Protein backbone atom coordinates (compact mmCIF):
# COMPACT_ATOMS: atom_id res chain seq x y z
CA UNK A 1 0.00 0.00 0.00
CA UNK A 2 0.95 3.61 -0.11
CA UNK A 3 1.97 5.93 -2.88
CA UNK A 4 5.30 5.98 -4.62
CA UNK A 5 5.89 8.97 -6.82
CA UNK A 6 7.81 6.97 -9.41
CA UNK A 7 5.39 4.04 -9.34
CA UNK A 8 2.96 5.29 -11.97
CA UNK A 9 1.49 2.71 -14.36
CA UNK A 10 3.17 2.37 -17.75
CA UNK A 11 0.17 0.49 -19.13
CA UNK A 12 -3.39 1.03 -17.94
CA UNK A 13 -5.43 -2.17 -17.89
CA UNK A 14 -8.82 -0.66 -17.08
CA UNK A 15 -10.66 -0.59 -13.77
CA UNK A 16 -12.11 -3.03 -11.27
CA UNK A 17 -14.97 -1.88 -9.03
CA UNK A 18 -14.22 1.65 -10.21
CA UNK A 19 -10.54 1.46 -9.22
CA UNK A 20 -8.04 2.11 -12.04
CA UNK A 21 -5.56 -0.74 -12.50
CA UNK A 22 -2.25 -0.57 -14.35
CA UNK A 23 1.14 -2.23 -14.61
CA UNK A 24 4.60 -0.70 -14.38
CA UNK A 25 7.18 -1.57 -17.03
CA UNK A 26 9.16 -3.50 -14.40
CA UNK A 27 6.42 -6.17 -14.43
CA UNK A 28 7.92 -7.34 -17.72
CA UNK A 29 11.15 -8.08 -15.84
CA UNK A 30 9.45 -10.22 -13.20
CA UNK A 31 7.37 -12.03 -15.84
CA UNK A 32 10.45 -12.95 -17.86
CA UNK A 33 12.43 -14.04 -14.78
CA UNK A 34 9.55 -16.09 -13.38
CA UNK A 35 8.72 -17.65 -16.72
CA UNK A 36 12.32 -18.62 -17.40
CA UNK A 37 12.84 -20.06 -13.91
CA UNK A 38 9.62 -22.04 -13.99
CA UNK A 39 10.07 -23.42 -17.52
CA UNK A 40 13.73 -24.41 -17.15
CA UNK A 41 14.03 -25.45 -13.50
CA UNK A 42 10.96 -25.65 -11.25
CA UNK A 43 8.50 -27.43 -13.55
CA UNK A 44 10.99 -29.89 -15.12
CA UNK A 45 12.19 -30.88 -11.64
CA UNK A 46 8.65 -31.47 -10.36
CA UNK A 47 7.16 -33.04 -13.48
CA UNK A 48 9.92 -34.58 -15.63
CA UNK A 49 9.39 -36.04 -19.06
CA UNK A 50 7.15 -33.32 -20.52
CA UNK A 51 7.92 -31.41 -23.71
CA UNK A 52 9.70 -28.06 -23.65
CA UNK A 53 6.67 -26.39 -25.21
CA UNK A 54 4.43 -27.68 -22.42
CA UNK A 55 6.82 -26.36 -19.77
CA UNK A 56 6.85 -22.89 -21.34
CA UNK A 57 3.07 -22.88 -21.80
CA UNK A 58 2.53 -23.86 -18.17
CA UNK A 59 5.11 -21.28 -17.04
CA UNK A 60 3.30 -18.52 -18.93
CA UNK A 61 -0.02 -19.52 -17.37
CA UNK A 62 1.48 -19.66 -13.88
CA UNK A 63 3.06 -16.22 -14.33
CA UNK A 64 -0.29 -14.71 -15.30
CA UNK A 65 -2.02 -16.40 -12.36
CA UNK A 66 0.69 -15.12 -10.02
CA UNK A 67 0.15 -11.54 -11.24
CA UNK A 68 -3.60 -11.98 -10.79
CA UNK A 69 -3.01 -13.13 -7.20
CA UNK A 70 -0.92 -9.98 -6.61
CA UNK A 71 -3.79 -7.96 -8.02
CA UNK A 72 -6.22 -9.73 -5.66
CA UNK A 73 -3.92 -8.85 -2.74
CA UNK A 74 -3.90 -5.13 -3.59
CA UNK A 75 -7.57 -5.07 -4.57
CA UNK A 76 -8.45 -6.44 -1.13
CA UNK A 77 -6.66 -3.48 0.48
CA UNK A 78 -8.48 -1.10 -1.84
CA UNK A 79 -11.97 -2.54 -1.34
CA UNK A 80 -11.71 -2.47 2.46
CA UNK A 81 -10.26 1.06 2.34
CA UNK A 82 -13.20 2.27 0.25
CA UNK A 83 -15.58 0.58 2.70
CA UNK A 84 -14.24 2.97 5.35
CA UNK A 85 -14.53 6.00 3.09
CA UNK A 86 -10.87 6.17 2.03
CA UNK A 87 -10.54 7.09 -1.68
CA UNK A 88 -8.31 4.82 -3.76
CA UNK A 89 -6.34 6.55 -6.51
CA UNK A 90 -5.24 3.43 -8.39
CA UNK A 91 -3.59 0.01 -8.17
CA UNK A 92 -0.24 -0.54 -9.89
CA UNK A 93 1.55 -3.87 -10.27
CA UNK A 94 5.33 -3.63 -10.46
CA UNK A 95 8.62 -5.47 -10.02
CA UNK A 96 8.34 -6.25 -6.29
CA UNK A 97 4.59 -6.78 -6.06
CA UNK A 98 1.93 -4.12 -6.15
CA UNK A 99 0.80 -0.81 -4.70
CA UNK A 100 -2.71 0.28 -3.78
CA UNK A 101 -2.47 4.06 -3.62
CA UNK A 102 -4.78 5.45 -0.95
CA UNK A 103 -5.56 9.17 -1.03
CA UNK A 104 -6.11 9.46 2.72
CA UNK A 105 -5.47 7.55 5.94
CA UNK A 106 -8.05 5.18 7.49
CA UNK A 107 -10.27 7.07 9.95
CA UNK A 108 -9.49 4.98 13.03
CA UNK A 109 -7.26 2.16 14.31
CA UNK A 110 -9.77 -0.61 13.59
CA UNK A 111 -10.10 0.49 9.95
CA UNK A 112 -6.30 0.76 9.69
CA UNK A 113 -5.96 -2.83 10.94
CA UNK A 114 -8.60 -4.27 8.61
CA UNK A 115 -7.23 -2.45 5.55
CA UNK A 116 -3.74 -3.76 6.36
CA UNK A 117 -4.73 -7.36 7.05
CA UNK A 118 -6.97 -7.67 3.98
CA UNK A 119 -4.04 -8.18 1.58
CA UNK A 120 -2.30 -11.03 3.46
CA UNK A 121 -5.68 -12.71 4.01
CA UNK A 122 -6.32 -12.57 0.27
CA UNK A 123 -2.90 -14.14 -0.39
CA UNK A 124 -3.59 -16.87 2.16
CA UNK A 125 -6.96 -17.47 0.51
CA UNK A 126 -5.28 -17.80 -2.89
CA UNK A 127 -2.73 -20.19 -1.37
CA UNK A 128 -5.55 -22.33 0.03
CA UNK A 129 -7.41 -22.44 -3.29
CA UNK A 130 -4.30 -23.29 -5.33
CA UNK A 131 -3.20 -25.79 -2.69
CA UNK A 132 -6.57 -27.56 -2.64
CA UNK A 133 -6.59 -27.78 -6.44
CA UNK A 134 -3.03 -29.13 -6.48
CA UNK A 135 -3.83 -31.68 -3.77
CA UNK A 136 -6.92 -32.87 -5.59
CA UNK A 137 -5.02 -33.43 -8.84
CA UNK A 138 -2.15 -35.11 -7.00
CA UNK A 139 -4.53 -37.63 -5.41
CA UNK A 140 -6.00 -38.51 -8.80
CA UNK A 141 -2.53 -39.05 -10.24
CA UNK A 142 -3.47 -37.01 -13.30
CA UNK A 143 -1.74 -34.02 -14.93
CA UNK A 144 1.46 -33.89 -12.82
CA UNK A 145 2.62 -30.72 -14.61
CA UNK A 146 -0.59 -28.93 -13.62
CA UNK A 147 -0.53 -29.91 -9.95
CA UNK A 148 3.15 -28.97 -9.66
CA UNK A 149 2.35 -25.56 -11.15
CA UNK A 150 -0.61 -25.10 -8.80
CA UNK A 151 1.49 -26.25 -5.85
CA UNK A 152 4.12 -23.62 -6.69
CA UNK A 153 1.41 -20.94 -6.79
CA UNK A 154 0.11 -22.08 -3.40
CA UNK A 155 3.59 -21.95 -1.86
CA UNK A 156 4.46 -18.54 -3.32
CA UNK A 157 1.20 -16.97 -2.17
CA UNK A 158 1.71 -18.36 1.34
CA UNK A 159 5.25 -16.96 1.41
CA UNK A 160 3.95 -13.61 0.12
CA UNK A 161 1.40 -13.46 2.94
CA UNK A 162 3.96 -14.33 5.63
CA UNK A 163 6.58 -11.92 4.24
CA UNK A 164 4.06 -9.08 4.11
CA UNK A 165 3.25 -9.64 7.78
CA UNK A 166 6.80 -8.77 8.89
CA UNK A 167 6.32 -6.00 11.48
CA UNK A 168 7.66 -2.94 9.70
CA UNK A 169 6.29 -0.24 7.43
CA UNK A 170 5.62 -0.15 4.52
CA UNK A 171 4.85 -3.87 4.70
CA UNK A 172 1.33 -4.88 5.71
CA UNK A 173 2.72 -6.14 9.01
CA UNK A 174 3.99 -2.63 9.64
CA UNK A 175 0.48 -1.31 9.08
CA UNK A 176 -0.84 -3.91 11.51
CA UNK A 177 1.77 -2.80 14.05
CA UNK A 178 0.80 0.84 13.46
CA UNK A 179 -2.88 0.04 14.00
CA UNK A 180 -2.13 -1.84 17.22
CA UNK A 181 0.05 0.99 18.60
CA UNK A 182 -2.53 3.56 17.51
CA UNK A 183 -5.26 1.65 19.38
CA UNK A 184 -3.01 1.24 22.44
CA UNK A 185 -1.65 4.79 22.68
CA UNK A 186 -4.39 6.72 20.90
CA UNK A 187 -1.67 8.55 18.96
CA UNK A 188 -1.51 7.89 15.22
CA UNK A 189 1.67 9.95 14.73
CA UNK A 190 3.55 7.98 17.40
CA UNK A 191 2.31 4.69 15.91
CA UNK A 192 3.39 5.68 12.40
CA UNK A 193 6.89 6.70 13.56
CA UNK A 194 7.33 3.46 15.50
CA UNK A 195 6.21 1.32 12.54
CA UNK A 196 8.55 3.21 10.20
CA UNK A 197 11.53 2.68 12.54
CA UNK A 198 10.72 -1.02 12.85
CA UNK A 199 10.53 -1.24 9.07
CA UNK A 200 14.03 0.17 8.74
CA UNK A 201 15.30 -2.48 11.17
CA UNK A 202 13.57 -5.21 9.14
CA UNK A 203 15.11 -3.85 5.93
CA UNK A 204 18.60 -3.84 7.46
CA UNK A 205 18.15 -7.48 8.53
CA UNK A 206 17.04 -8.45 5.00
CA UNK A 207 20.07 -6.72 3.46
CA UNK A 208 22.38 -8.47 5.93
CA UNK A 209 20.78 -11.87 5.31
CA UNK A 210 21.00 -11.47 1.55
CA UNK A 211 24.63 -10.36 1.73
CA UNK A 212 25.55 -13.36 3.90
CA UNK A 213 23.75 -15.67 1.47
CA UNK A 214 25.82 -14.30 -1.40
CA UNK A 215 29.20 -14.15 0.39
CA UNK A 216 29.13 -17.28 2.54
CA UNK A 217 26.86 -19.60 0.54
CA UNK A 218 27.84 -18.27 -2.92
CA UNK A 219 24.11 -18.16 -3.64
CA UNK A 220 23.23 -15.17 -5.78
CA UNK A 221 19.57 -15.69 -4.95
CA UNK A 222 20.46 -13.47 -2.00
CA UNK A 223 20.34 -10.54 -4.42
CA UNK A 224 16.55 -10.63 -4.14
CA UNK A 225 16.77 -10.18 -0.37
CA UNK A 226 19.22 -7.33 -0.80
CA UNK A 227 16.97 -5.68 -3.39
CA UNK A 228 13.92 -6.07 -1.16
CA UNK A 229 15.87 -4.76 1.82
CA UNK A 230 17.02 -1.62 0.00
CA UNK A 231 13.52 -0.95 -1.31
CA UNK A 232 12.06 -1.31 2.19
CA UNK A 233 14.80 0.90 3.62
CA UNK A 234 14.02 3.78 1.27
CA UNK A 235 10.28 3.24 1.67
CA UNK A 236 10.70 3.19 5.46
CA UNK A 237 12.55 6.49 5.34
CA UNK A 238 9.72 7.95 3.29
CA UNK A 239 7.20 6.62 5.83
CA UNK A 240 9.17 8.22 8.64
CA UNK A 241 9.27 11.57 6.85
CA UNK A 242 5.54 11.31 6.16
CA UNK A 243 4.85 10.58 9.84
CA UNK A 244 6.84 13.65 10.89
CA UNK A 245 5.01 15.75 8.33
CA UNK A 246 1.60 14.59 9.52
CA UNK A 247 2.54 15.14 13.14
CA UNK A 248 3.59 18.72 12.47
CA UNK A 249 0.51 19.52 10.38
CA UNK A 250 -2.12 17.71 12.43
CA UNK A 251 -5.13 19.84 13.30
CA UNK A 252 -4.41 22.46 10.62
CA UNK A 253 -6.32 23.17 7.42
CA UNK A 254 -5.17 24.35 3.99
CA UNK A 255 -6.30 27.90 4.79
CA UNK A 256 -3.66 28.01 7.57
CA UNK A 257 -0.80 27.56 5.10
CA UNK A 258 -1.97 28.84 1.72
CA UNK A 259 -0.76 32.13 0.27
CA UNK A 260 -2.67 34.57 -1.98
CA UNK A 261 -1.81 34.16 -5.68
CA UNK A 262 1.02 36.59 -6.59
CA UNK A 263 -0.80 37.51 -9.80
CA UNK A 264 -3.11 35.65 -12.18
CA UNK A 265 -3.04 35.54 -15.96
CA UNK A 266 -5.78 34.80 -18.49
CA UNK A 267 -5.77 32.05 -21.09
CA UNK A 268 -6.03 34.63 -23.89
CA UNK A 269 -3.20 36.79 -22.54
CA UNK A 270 0.03 36.90 -24.55
CA UNK A 271 3.19 35.62 -22.91
CA UNK A 272 5.08 38.86 -23.42
CA UNK A 273 2.28 40.92 -21.86
CA UNK A 274 1.94 38.61 -18.89
CA UNK A 275 5.71 38.53 -18.37
CA UNK A 276 5.69 42.32 -17.97
CA UNK A 277 2.85 42.11 -15.44
CA UNK A 278 4.49 39.28 -13.48
CA UNK A 279 7.83 41.11 -13.36
CA UNK A 280 6.15 44.08 -11.66
CA UNK A 281 4.51 41.89 -8.99
CA UNK A 282 5.80 39.65 -6.24
CA UNK A 283 8.18 37.17 -7.94
CA UNK A 284 7.11 33.54 -8.17
CA UNK A 285 7.95 30.37 -10.10
CA UNK A 286 4.35 29.62 -11.08
CA UNK A 287 1.18 31.62 -11.65
CA UNK A 288 -2.51 30.67 -11.85
CA UNK A 289 -4.31 31.01 -15.18
CA UNK A 290 -7.98 31.99 -15.39
CA UNK A 291 -10.53 31.62 -18.18
CA UNK A 292 -12.34 34.73 -19.57
CA UNK A 293 -15.03 34.34 -16.88
CA UNK A 294 -12.44 34.40 -14.09
CA UNK A 295 -12.64 30.68 -13.31
CA UNK A 296 -9.41 28.74 -12.63
CA UNK A 297 -8.07 27.15 -15.84
CA UNK A 298 -4.63 25.91 -14.85
CA UNK A 299 -1.14 27.04 -13.95
CA UNK A 300 1.78 28.46 -15.91
CA UNK A 301 5.43 28.24 -14.86
CA UNK A 302 8.28 30.58 -15.66
CA UNK A 303 10.22 27.57 -16.89
CA UNK A 304 7.55 26.70 -19.47
CA UNK A 305 7.27 30.29 -20.66
CA UNK A 306 11.04 30.61 -21.03
CA UNK A 307 11.17 27.47 -23.20
CA UNK A 308 8.90 29.00 -25.86
CA UNK A 309 11.07 29.92 -28.89
CA UNK A 310 11.73 33.63 -29.06
CA UNK A 311 10.12 33.91 -32.51
CA UNK A 312 6.84 32.51 -31.16
CA UNK A 313 6.62 34.53 -27.96
CA UNK A 314 4.86 37.62 -29.38
CA UNK A 315 1.90 35.50 -30.55
CA UNK A 316 1.90 32.72 -27.94
CA UNK A 317 -0.72 32.88 -25.19
CA UNK A 318 -0.89 31.43 -21.70
CA UNK A 319 -3.35 28.84 -23.06
CA UNK A 320 -0.48 27.41 -25.14
CA UNK A 321 1.85 26.79 -22.18
CA UNK A 322 -0.46 26.31 -19.20
CA UNK A 323 -0.73 23.12 -17.20
CA UNK A 324 -4.46 22.20 -17.41
CA UNK A 325 -6.52 22.21 -14.24
CA UNK A 326 -7.14 18.44 -14.43
CA UNK A 327 -3.39 17.79 -14.04
CA UNK A 328 -3.08 19.88 -10.87
CA UNK A 329 -3.94 19.28 -7.24
CA UNK A 330 -7.11 21.23 -6.41
CA UNK A 331 -7.88 21.77 -2.73
CA UNK A 332 -10.55 23.34 -0.58
CA UNK A 333 -9.50 25.82 2.15
CA UNK A 334 -11.02 23.44 4.71
CA UNK A 335 -9.09 20.33 3.56
CA UNK A 336 -6.99 18.96 6.46
CA UNK A 337 -3.43 20.05 5.81
CA UNK A 338 -1.86 16.69 6.59
CA UNK A 339 -4.00 15.13 3.82
CA UNK A 340 -3.38 17.98 1.36
CA UNK A 341 0.38 17.71 1.88
CA UNK A 342 0.48 14.39 0.00
CA UNK A 343 -1.01 15.93 -3.13
CA UNK A 344 1.35 18.90 -3.04
CA UNK A 345 4.50 16.86 -2.44
CA UNK A 346 3.68 14.20 -5.05
CA UNK A 347 2.73 16.68 -7.78
CA UNK A 348 5.78 18.93 -7.19
CA UNK A 349 3.65 21.84 -8.38
CA UNK A 350 1.63 24.41 -6.42
CA UNK A 351 -1.88 23.26 -5.59
CA UNK A 352 -4.74 25.58 -6.45
CA UNK A 353 -7.02 26.39 -3.51
CA UNK A 354 -10.53 26.93 -4.81
CA UNK A 355 -13.62 27.90 -2.82
CA UNK A 356 -17.00 27.74 -4.60
CA UNK A 357 -15.33 28.01 -8.00
CA UNK A 358 -13.18 31.01 -7.04
CA UNK A 359 -9.39 30.86 -6.76
CA UNK A 360 -8.47 31.92 -3.22
CA UNK A 361 -4.87 30.79 -2.85
CA UNK A 362 -1.91 28.57 -3.69
CA UNK A 363 -0.22 25.91 -1.59
CA UNK A 364 3.40 24.92 -2.25
CA UNK A 365 5.98 22.68 -0.62
CA UNK A 366 7.72 25.85 0.59
CA UNK A 367 4.54 26.83 2.45
CA UNK A 368 4.40 23.39 4.07
CA UNK A 369 8.07 23.54 5.08
CA UNK A 370 7.59 27.01 6.57
CA UNK A 371 4.66 25.81 8.66
CA UNK A 372 6.60 22.73 9.82
CA UNK A 373 9.53 24.92 10.91
CA UNK A 374 7.18 27.23 12.81
CA UNK A 375 5.52 24.25 14.46
CA UNK A 376 8.94 22.93 15.49
CA UNK A 377 9.96 26.28 16.96
CA UNK A 378 6.73 26.57 18.92
CA UNK A 379 7.22 23.14 20.42
CA UNK A 380 10.79 24.02 21.29
CA UNK A 381 12.15 20.78 19.88
CA UNK A 382 12.59 18.96 16.57
CA UNK A 383 9.91 16.42 15.71
CA UNK A 384 11.00 12.84 16.29
Amino acid sequence: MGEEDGMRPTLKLGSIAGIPVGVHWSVLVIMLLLGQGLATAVLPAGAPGVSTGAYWTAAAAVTVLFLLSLLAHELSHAVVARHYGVPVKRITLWLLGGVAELEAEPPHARADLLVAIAGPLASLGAAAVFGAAAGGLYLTGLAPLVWVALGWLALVNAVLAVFNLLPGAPLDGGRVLRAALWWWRGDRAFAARAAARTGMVVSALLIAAGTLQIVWAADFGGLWLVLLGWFLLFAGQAEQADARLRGALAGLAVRDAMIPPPVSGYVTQRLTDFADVAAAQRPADAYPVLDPDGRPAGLVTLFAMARVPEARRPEATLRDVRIPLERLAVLSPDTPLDEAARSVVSSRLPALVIDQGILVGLLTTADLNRLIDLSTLRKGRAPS
Side-chain angles (χ1 to χ4, degrees):
M1 293 185 301
E3 180 168 354
E4 302 296 324
D5 186 47
M7 206 46 56
R8 301 188 184 277
T10 306
L11 176 63
K12 296 178 181 179
L13 301 180
S15 63
I16 300 177
I19 301 170
V21 177
V23 295
H24 189 257
W25 64 265
S26 58
V27 166
L28 295 175
V29 176
I30 195 65
M31 289 181 71
L32 290 173
L33 290 174
L34 275 179
Q36 193 271 341
L38 286 164
T40 62
V42 176
L43 297 179
V50 182
S51 69
T52 301
Y55 287 136
W56 279 100
T57 301
V62 169
T63 301
V64 171
L65 287 173
F66 175 65
L67 291 177
L68 289 176
S69 65
L70 290 179
L71 177 59
H73 179 112
E74 298 302 331
L75 191 61
S76 298
H77 287 308
V79 169
V80 177
R82 290 211 313 188
H83 172 75
Y84 285 102
V86 180
V88 180
K89 189 174 184 180
R90 61 181 167 237
I91 292 174
T92 304
L93 301 180
W94 71 297
L95 176 65
L96 297 180
V99 177
E101 299 180 21
L102 309 184
E103 298 190 75
E105 293 293 337
H108 45 72
R110 182 173 181 272
D112 204 18
L113 172 64
L114 294 177
V115 171
I117 203 69
L121 287 178
S123 293
L124 286 175
V129 170
F130 289 132
L137 282 174
Y138 175 78
L139 291 176
T140 65
L142 301 174
L145 179 59
V146 177
W147 71 254
V148 169
L150 291 171
W152 183 89
L153 282 167
L155 176 62
V156 168
N157 274 279
V159 170
L160 179 66
V162 173
F163 175 78
N164 266 283
L165 286 174
L166 291 177
L171 295 172
D172 295 330
R175 312 291 189 200
V176 171
L177 175 62
R178 182 180 69 180
L181 293 174
W182 183 5
W183 174 81
W184 174 50
R185 290 282 295 264
D187 186 341
R188 175 160 55 184
F190 163 80
R193 291 195 299 270
R197 289 169 181 158
T198 305
M200 295 175 72
V201 173
V202 170
S203 66
L205 293 174
L206 287 173
I207 293 170
T211 302
L212 289 175
Q213 186 176 347
I214 295 169
V215 174
W216 283 3
D219 182 0
F220 286 92
L223 284 172
W224 282 106
L225 286 179
V226 173
L227 179 62
L228 282 170
W230 277 110
F231 165 73
L232 293 177
L233 180 63
F234 289 126
Q237 290 172 340
E239 291 269 339
Q240 200 167 36
D242 185 64
R244 288 173 177 162
L245 179 70
R246 289 181 174 276
L249 303 181
L252 299 175
V254 167
R255 67 173 69 254
D256 298 315
M258 70 181 190
I259 58 171
V263 64
S264 296
Y266 287 85
V267 289
T268 56
Q269 196 169 10
R270 292 180 179 179
L271 257 61
T272 50
D273 294 337
F274 179 71
D276 292 337
V277 174
Q281 303 292 325
R282 176 162 55 89
D285 294 325
Y287 299 89
V289 180
L290 308 177
D291 67 16
D293 295 323
R295 294 188 297 263
L299 192 79
V300 64
T301 65
L302 284 178
F303 179 74
M305 289 192 290
R307 291 183 66 187
V308 176
E310 188 173 354
R312 288 188 54 224
R313 287 176 194 165
E315 299 302 323
T317 65
L318 295 186
R319 188 193 305 275
D320 301 324
V321 295
R322 71 183 171 116
I323 301 169
L325 192 64
E326 56 268 21
R327 289 177 52 194
L328 298 169
V330 177
L331 306 171
S332 162
D334 298 320
T335 302
L337 196 55
D338 55 352
E339 294 180 10
R342 264 189 184 180
S343 300
V344 177
V345 172
S346 65
S347 70
R348 300 179 183 176
L349 288 168
L352 300 186
V353 186
I354 298 175
D355 188 14
Q356 297 181 354
I358 300 173
L359 178 70
V360 295
L362 296 177
L363 184 64
T364 69
T365 53
D367 302 322
L368 295 173
N369 289 332
R370 182 182 65 251
L371 206 61
I372 291 170
D373 290 340
L374 287 172
S375 174
T376 300
L377 288 171
R378 288 169 182 161
K379 291 179 181 177
R381 59 182 178 84
S384 58

